[in-house]
Amino acid sequence: MTPLPSSPAEELALLERELIWLDTRRVQLLRRRSWLKAALRAQSAGGWQPPHGGQPPQGAPGGWAHAPAAHPAPAVPSGSATGGPGAQHVLLILGGLLLAVAAIAFTLFSWGELGIAGRSVVLAGVTAGALGAPVLLLRRGLGATAESVGAVALLLTVLDAYALHAAVLPEADGAGYAAFATGVLAAGWTAYGVGVGRLRLPLPAAVVAGQFPLVLGAWAAGGSALVIGWALLVTAAGSVVVAARVPGLAVRATAWSGAGVTWAGGLLIGLGESVSASGPLDAAAPGVLLLGAAAVALAAAWRAPQEMAVTGGVVAGLAAVAGVGGVLRTEVPWSWAVVVYLVCGAALAPVARIAVVPRPVRGGVLGAAAGVTGVAVLAVLPSAAATLLGPAAVLTGLWAGAPDGARELAAGAGAWPDALSVPVVLLVAAVLLGAVYASLVHEGREPAGWTGAAGAGAVGLVSAAVPVLLVSADVAYAAALVVDLLLVAGLLAAAVAVRRVPTAAGGTALWCAVAVAAHAGLLALAAEPATYAVFGLLLVLFAVSAARSREVVARSLTLVLSVVCALVVASAAGASLELGAPRTAVLVLVVPAAVVVLGLWVRTPAVVVPLEAGAGFAALVALGLAVTDGAYFSLVLALCGVLAAATAVRPERRPGAGYLAAGLFATATWVRLVSAGVTHPEAYTLPVSVIACAVGLLRWRTDPEASSWTAYGPGLGVTLGPSLLALWSDPHWQRPLLLGAAALAVTVTGAVRRLQAPLLLGGGTLALVALHELAPHVAQVFDALPRWSVPALAGLLLLALGATYEQRLRDARRLREHLGRMR
């Protein structure tokens, strides 16, 4: 036992000795590996002899502890006469192919030149010799050669079968003889493979040959498609037994492949016959075939590896659904066939509770049930979407009168289905997903991932099924509105209960509530009282949900929707009072005014921001309603400016809302002047500009930190904007001269005083005045120039800019920095 070091120096010396020993040991092992490689190469070349200088020393345990220091024997060169295993395989393969070609040529061209005796002797001798040669070769240790000769022997048996039919039994039925021959070959190859034992090809070849006798026999006997399907299915079952019982990777892989092909063929025949059946008796036989296919797939999956077991469970479940559903669907109208298959798929769910069934198989069967459910939902989804969007036709005739039933509103779009199968499919699928969700939660799964997806899917399907059912069943108009509102209330309650509802289900419930609310709103627009009642209740529901919600997205969305519902109520009030669109715009502004007052009272950003977004949308709607009347448009702009100024009272909104208010006031002034037909707006705007600039100067002196845009921007904009608008319609020279001189003075003042607002406003106005004056001359120049000169000049300009791009970029940055330093 190595004593523990007493000092760092001793420990360092110990580590050095250990590292030296490890290096020495590594060199010894590498030399021994080289010696063993040389020995293996010499053995493959023709008998083992110790390489020169490579004999391990005597006395070492096992002869490998210490390899000699001499160099190992060199490897045999690739181009030597001895060759290697790769060259041996190539030679054997080429020899086997040549023998096969010779046998085929002899059978096809020289067979007829021999008599009966000669044929028999050649047939028996060549085949017996080819079959017996591998046994002798295996005894001498020539396994690869035996495999090649064995392959040729198997090919010779096939050629013998063909020659026997061509010469001895030419009148025999081809399909029947092929069935008999493949059966004999499968049995013979099986016996040969078991007898020889060490050949790898005969048993897989026997499996391949075994796929044909029953199918070819059924075909030769003139069997129907179902008989051929059963032949394929029985063949698949036999292949499954071989794959499960017989050892050997090659045999099992071949058997599994053959089982898959023949099983798929039988399944396709069963599906085709089941779909084309016109009655339960006609569908019974294909249904039994499909159930047999399901049994074979289930038996194959029972002891298969996990991936194959899951696949087997899926295809077994689908085949069973197709078999049973194909019989039942013949008793119902075609529109209900989807429901029949869906119910059959749901019947697979109890398999999950059978403990005897392996877990992968149960998962595959449940996957089949889920696949049937998904396909059923996708099949009815277009019809469901058309039904949900059908009430949008009411937008072409608002307040046309309350209909008798909900279907009447969708009649214009032809949206409802002919039967109640669509909502039934959605409801059944929702129940299935809900059951899956409850089962997973009962097992202790977290309400996330697939569990949450199941819950969300159930919520979404129920939310779609109820409105579709209302329209499809032609429920009374008032009852349809009540049910929709109750559904919205339930979905909102589920959406805000974030502590008890999974996140996925809660989010789905929120958006489904929005969709159902839109459906209810479209229905309500058919009658005036319904519009007030429905949108008023929706306003209350969304406001209560916003107050109770603790999730940011849910609160923000419900707040915005509350404002939208209030906007609809205000617009409806204007329509009821017959105010017209411009006057209704003033009434609509009550909604953003209420939001602004609420924002002054509630300072929470998470509440104020969505409210302000809704208020901004309402203000845009009001502007759109008033745009056709200049006087009311100016009034609405001014009122919006008042609301923006009231919002600017809050310190966090002061910069943006203040600028917005100034812009709205200036725009309102311009619109009012244009609508009044004023041709000289300076008489109205110039006094305002003088007063505004004087007030800005006082602000500048009292608050040196104030921006030039706050002090002088509104005053300058009130006059420069209307004057520019009037300039483009003024044919005289006085206004351009005076406006250009004033803009030049403002620009120079801004440059000298280093004020950003006068510099930019004055410079922009001066540029537009210059453009106005030069426009006729520029137009004349362009008319005089040839057409190719414009793109040529543009190309030269782009080349110049590209060549001096970096310099222009630096100039732009310096200009931006210079403007940024201005106030």
Side-chain angles (χ1 to χ4, degrees):
M1 182 176 180
T2 304
L4 296 176
S6 60
S7 65
E10 293 181 2
E11 184 177 359
L12 180 60
L14 179 61
L15 291 177
E16 292 290 341
R17 288 195 297 272
E18 292 288 335
L19 290 174
I20 292 173
W21 183 86
L22 290 174
D23 290 338
T24 304
R25 182 61 176 164
R26 184 175 183 274
V27 171
Q28 293 174 352
L29 294 176
L30 289 175
R31 289 178 177 176
R32 181 60 181 173
R33 186 182 69 171
S34 300
W35 185 88
L36 291 173
K37 286 183 176 180
L40 290 174
R41 285 193 291 268
Q43 181 181 5
S44 64
W48 179 80
Q49 293 292 334
H52 178 70
Q55 180 66 32
Q58 300 295 327
W64 64 272
H66 298 284
H71 296 289
V76 179
S78 59
S80 63
T82 57
Q88 179 187 14
H89 292 163
V90 171
L91 293 175
L92 291 174
I93 291 173
L94 289 176
L97 289 176
L98 291 175
L99 288 175
V101 171
I104 293 173
F106 173 77
T107 303
L108 294 178
F109 302 110
S110 300
W111 181 260
E113 298 177 0
L114 299 176
I116 298 297
R119 297 175 187 177
S120 303
V121 171
V122 172
L123 182 64
V126 174
T127 304
L131 292 174
V135 178
L136 299 176
L137 292 172
L138 289 174
R139 290 178 182 177
R140 294 180 175 272
L142 302 177
T145 307
E147 291 288 349
S148 299
V149 176
V152 175
L154 298 182
L155 178 61
L156 287 174
T157 57
V158 176
L159 295 176
D160 291 343
Y162 167 76
L164 182 63
H165 178 267
V168 181
L169 302 172
E171 297 179 357
D173 179 65
Y177 180 80
F180 172 77
T182 52
V184 172
L185 288 176
W189 290 349
T190 302
Y192 181 68
V194 173
V196 176
R198 294 173 58 184
L199 291 180
R200 290 174 291 183
L201 187 60
L203 290 180
V207 173
V208 174
Q211 309 300 314
F212 298 99
L214 289 179
V215 179
L216 293 176
W219 184 18
S224 62
L226 288 177
V227 173
I228 296 176
W230 276 111
L232 289 168
L233 201 58
V234 172
T235 303
S239 299
V240 169
V241 173
V242 172
R245 299 288 184 181
V246 178
L249 180 60
V251 176
R252 299 179 67 180
T254 306
W256 280 122
S257 301
V261 172
T262 52
W263 183 89
L267 179 69
L268 292 177
I269 291 175
L271 287 176
E273 295 294 321
S274 178
V275 171
S276 61
S278 58
L281 294 179
D282 294 337
V288 175
L289 177 61
L290 291 172
L291 290 178
V296 172
L298 192 62
W302 201 270
R303 293 185 179 180
Q306 181 174 358
E307 294 78 7
M308 294 183 62
V310 173
T311 304
V314 171
V315 296
L318 294 177
V321 170
V324 178
V327 176
L328 298 179
R329 63 94 186 162
T330 58
E331 294 294 328
V332 297
W334 182 251
S335 59
W336 286 89
V338 178
V339 180
V340 171
Y341 285 108
L342 178 59
V343 173
C344 293
L348 298 176
V351 176
R353 298 295 181 183
I354 303 176
V356 180
V357 181
R359 187 178 185 87
V361 179
R362 282 183 285 166
V365 173
L366 290 180
V372 172
T373 304
V375 171
V377 172
L378 291 177
V380 302
L381 196 59
S383 181
T387 305
L388 292 173
L389 297 176
V394 75
L395 296 176
T396 59
L398 296 176
W399 292 356
D404 295 331
R407 179 181 292 188
E408 185 177 341
L409 294 177
W416 73 93
D418 295 334
L420 298 176
S421 58
V422 173
V424 170
V425 169
L426 297 177
L427 288 174
V428 171
V431 171
L432 292 176
L433 288 177
V436 171
Y437 172 77
S439 176
L440 293 175
V441 172
H442 181 71
E443 292 177 1
R445 301 283 187 89
E446 292 293 330
W450 289 109
T451 307
V459 172
L461 290 175
V462 170
S463 304
V466 172
V468 173
L469 180 62
L470 296 176
V471 178
S472 301
D474 198 15
V475 178
Y477 179 68
L481 293 177
V482 171
V483 173
D484 271 350
L485 291 174
L486 291 176
L487 181 58
V488 172
L491 291 172
L492 289 176
V496 300
V498 294
R499 293 184 178 181
R500 297 180 298 276
V501 177
T503 303
T508 305
L510 176 63
W511 292 103
C512 288
V514 175
V516 177
H519 185 265
L522 290 175
L523 292 177
L525 292 176
E528 182 176 358
T531 301
Y532 289 106
V534 170
F535 281 97
L537 288 174
L538 289 177
L539 171 61
V540 174
L541 289 175
F542 285 128
V544 172
S545 300
R548 296 184 58 186
S549 177
R550 298 182 181 180
E551 207 269 332
V552 177
V553 175
R555 184 192 302 118
S556 301
L557 183 60
T558 49
L559 284 173
V560 172
L561 293 175
S562 301
V563 176
V564 171
C565 292
L567 176 63
V568 174
V569 173
S571 302
S576 298
L577 297 174
E578 298 181 356
L579 298 178
R583 295 184 180 181
T584 302
V586 180
L587 185 60
V588 167
L589 286 178
V590 174
V591 176
V595 172
V596 169
V597 173
L598 185 60
L600 295 176
W601 177 51
V602 180
R603 297 297 183 93
T604 306
V607 176
V608 173
V609 172
L611 283 176
E612 289 179 344
F617 176 74
L620 290 176
V621 172
L623 292 173
L625 291 173
V627 73
T628 57
D629 191 309
Y632 277 98
F633 189 49
S634 172
L635 176 61
V636 172
L637 284 170
L639 292 176
C640 291
V642 172
L643 296 178
T647 305
V649 173
R650 305 205 312 271
E652 69 275 9
R653 293 289 185 267
R654 186 163 298 161
Y659 293 143
L660 179 61
L664 288 172
F665 284 137
T667 306
T669 303
W670 303 343
V671 171
R672 182 59 181 167
L673 293 175
V674 172
S675 63
V678 175
T679 57
H680 297 83
E682 293 82 3
Y684 300 91
T685 60
L686 193 57
V688 177
S689 294
V690 173
I691 297 173
C693 289
V695 173
L697 180 61
L698 293 177
R699 170 70 185 278
W700 184 270
R701 291 181 176 179
T702 56
D703 185 9
E705 299 297 328
S707 172
S708 61
W709 289 97
T710 305
Y712 302 111
L716 295 175
V718 166
T719 297
L720 293 178
S723 297
L724 277 174
L725 293 176
L727 174 67
W728 293 95
S729 59
D730 189 352
H732 303 289
W733 59 270
Q734 291 86 355
R735 176 176 277 114
L737 178 62
L738 294 176
L739 183 58
L744 178 62
V746 171
T747 304
V748 172
T749 303
V752 173
R753 297 285 185 177
R754 300 182 62 80
L755 300 176
Q756 191 179 102
L759 177 62
L760 295 181
L761 290 176
T765 303
L766 186 61
L768 291 175
V769 171
L771 179 62
H772 174 267
E773 294 302 308
L774 293 176
H777 303 288
V778 173
Q780 293 178 0
V781 171
F782 274 100
D783 289 338
L785 290 175
R787 298 195 175 188
W788 57 264
S789 60
V790 177
L793 293 174
L796 291 175
L797 177 61
L798 291 177
L799 288 176
L801 290 176
T804 61
Y805 175 76
E806 296 294 336
Q807 182 62 37
R808 302 286 79 79
L809 191 60
R810 287 192 292 269
D811 294 343
R813 288 172 180 166
R814 284 197 295 269
L815 177 61
R816 184 183 63 184
E817 293 172 357
H818 180 68
L819 290 175
R821 288 192 294 269
M822 292 184 176
R823 301 175 63 184

